[in-house]
Amino acid sequence: GLDQAVALITSRSTGVARATPEKIEVASSGDMGYVRGRLERRDTAADASPVHYVRVWRHDATGWRIVLDVDTW
């Protein structure tokens, strides 16, 4: 679910204080989806440019897995 995805994003990204999803879509087949949003870094100055991310997920017999992980920092 969404909470698990956000927890995984936060846990695997070093220096990330918070991941804020802005859009989530899942294919009608239920086996592929993506999330895009913003990352808040722990060590960023208040006037720093925002960091955006996109992650594409695939669902198989073992659960959801990230197949593409792109961010702007």
Side-chain angles (χ1 to χ4, degrees):
L2 174 59
D3 292 338
Q4 292 170 324
V6 171
L8 181 60
I9 290 167
T10 304
S11 71
R12 66 181 295 279
S13 299
T14 59
V16 174
R18 181 174 57 198
T20 305
E22 295 175 340
K23 176 126 179 148
I24 300 169
E25 290 195 44
V26 177
S28 59
S29 59
D31 63 347
M32 195 77 127
Y34 80 91
V35 58
R36 69 171 170 84
R38 290 176 167 238
L39 297 175
E40 181 181 312
R41 295 182 61 174
R42 290 187 181 102
D43 60 350
T44 302
D47 61 346
S49 297
V51 178
H52 299 276
Y53 70 92
V54 174
R55 299 217 168 84
V56 178
W57 296 75
R58 184 185 76 205
H59 190 267
D60 59 24
T62 60
W64 285 98
R65 297 185 180 274
I66 296 173
V67 294
L68 179 68
D69 183 1
V70 180
D71 57 53
T72 61
W73 87 54

